[in-house]
Amino acid sequence: TKDNDDIRVVVGMATCGIAAGAREVFASLMDEVSKRNLKNVKISRAGCLGMCKLEPIVEVYAPGKPKCTYVKLDADKAKNIVVNHLVNGNEVAEYMITNE
């Protein structure tokens, strides 16, 4: 199915994430993806992603690539992720946490 080509973006929206600014991050992602008409990007909310002190957290799942976990985001960093990662395919290493 075509859904397999979609990039999934998941924003941690439990109380810990919301308290740290996840609503603004979610809104910024939605706004930027909409502005750029990125039809292959699906943004969703999740509960606690388990690392409360690193909120707001965003996970990016792109087909055929390992999951990217971005931490301590704000609206501007979220916009930067859309431009660099979602549009141009370049992960923003300075906002990432490794899965080790």
Side-chain angles (χ1 to χ4, degrees):
T1 64
K2 186 184 173 315
D3 286 346
N4 294 344
D5 296 334
D6 287 345
I7 296 172
R8 286 192 317 123
V9 179
V10 178
V11 182
M13 297 282 283
T15 51
C16 51
I18 290 168
R23 280 197 179 104
E24 293 79 6
V25 169
F26 186 83
S28 180
L29 289 167
M30 293 292 285
D31 186 50
E32 201 62 24
V33 165
S34 173
K35 242 192 274 187
R36 295 172 178 277
N37 202 26
L38 302 177
K39 300 285 188 211
N40 68 322
V41 176
K42 306 291 182 248
I43 301 173
S44 62
R45 296 172 180 87
C48 182
L49 298 174
M51 299 178 289
C52 302
K53 69 179 188 218
L54 298 177
E55 292 282 0
I57 298 172
V58 170
E59 295 178 336
V60 177
Y61 298 87
K65 297 199 170 159
K67 170 184 81 173
C68 278
T69 303
Y70 291 108
V71 297
K72 296 187 177 180
L73 296 182
D74 58 30
D76 289 336
K77 289 177 179 178
K79 190 179 287 193
N80 196 7
I81 289 167
V82 173
V83 173
N84 287 292
H85 189 162
L86 304 183
V87 174
N88 296 321
N90 301 316
E91 297 167 358
V92 187
E94 65 189 282
Y95 307 156
M96 289 173 62
I97 190 167
T98 57
N99 291 323
E100 294 168 1

